Amino acid sequence: DRDVTGVQTCALPIYQIVIEDVLSDDRFIPWRVVAMAEGFRSVHFIPLLTRRGDPIGVLATYFRRPRASAKKEHRLIELYARFATAAIDYRRSKETEGKLAAVVENSMDFVGLASLGGQAEVVNRAGREMVGLENMRAVRDTRIPDYLN
């Protein structure tokens, strides 16, 4: 499985790579044919890093002519990379949240969440059956002491 876009060049390092001219930069030799066929001469790779510094992708920006990026343009590309990272991170956290919710809801044990003030907010299906609550609306009408009798 060959990466013909050159993104592998930036996938492992935790820093930006600028290929000002794909025809003269030896790092891009394996992908020159693709670059010429697609009509680009310069490419800038910015790794997408989580807050912990873990790589989750790469933003590649292609240009038709050889070039380095101007300071203002470089900042804009970095901003796009941050937005992309935030969007990917958000989606992944929502997927994880959904998986966790499914585990909790399908547990055979009583699992519940309450506010710091003691107001019940969530009780899974098994928990609701154990204490005789019909739905989540009924759960929200209870407090922690209601479950301790």
Side-chain angles (χ1 to χ4, degrees):
D1 189 35
R2 183 178 162 159
D3 177 6
V4 295
T5 63
V7 171
Q8 284 177 335
T9 304
C10 186
L12 295 178
I14 312 296
Y15 54 87
Q16 178 178 350
I17 294 174
V18 175
I19 309 287
E20 291 184 21
D21 188 349
V22 298
L23 297 182
S24 63
D25 192 316
D26 289 342
R27 295 174 293 177
F28 213 78
I29 289 173
W31 305 283
R32 283 186 181 155
V33 172
V34 174
M36 296 311 298
E38 296 298 323
F40 66 89
R41 287 286 301 274
S42 180
V43 61
H44 302 193
F45 298 109
I46 297 181
L48 305 178
L49 307 173
T50 65
R51 292 179 192 173
R52 295 181 307 187
D54 299 325
I56 59 171
V58 177
L59 175 68
T61 309
Y62 300 90
F63 302 93
R64 294 197 180 280
R65 295 188 177 90
R67 61 183 293 183
S69 61
K71 202 176 236 182
K72 185 177 180 180
E73 184 178 69
H74 177 75
R75 286 189 193 135
L76 187 60
I77 293 170
E78 284 182 338
L79 183 61
Y80 286 140
R82 282 196 298 261
F83 284 145
T85 300
I88 292 167
D89 229 7
Y90 177 77
R91 181 175 177 191
R92 285 182 175 178
S93 70
K94 283 299 189 187
E95 288 171 0
T96 300
E97 183 181 303
K99 289 175 186 176
L100 180 59
V103 168
V104 167
E105 187 59 26
N106 293 306
S107 172
M108 302 298 280
D109 297 317
F110 183 108
V111 180
L113 297 172
S115 70
L116 291 176
Q119 185 69 41
E121 294 181 6
V122 175
V123 174
N124 68 340
R125 182 175 35 246
R128 290 190 307 269
E129 289 173 7
M130 287 178 197
V131 296
L133 295 174
E134 221 175 281
N135 53 40
M136 291 303 292
R137 179 179 229 164
V139 168
R140 291 186 189 101
D141 290 336
T142 64
R143 301 182 52 76
I144 291 175
D146 298 332
Y147 298 97
L148 302 177
N149 294 334

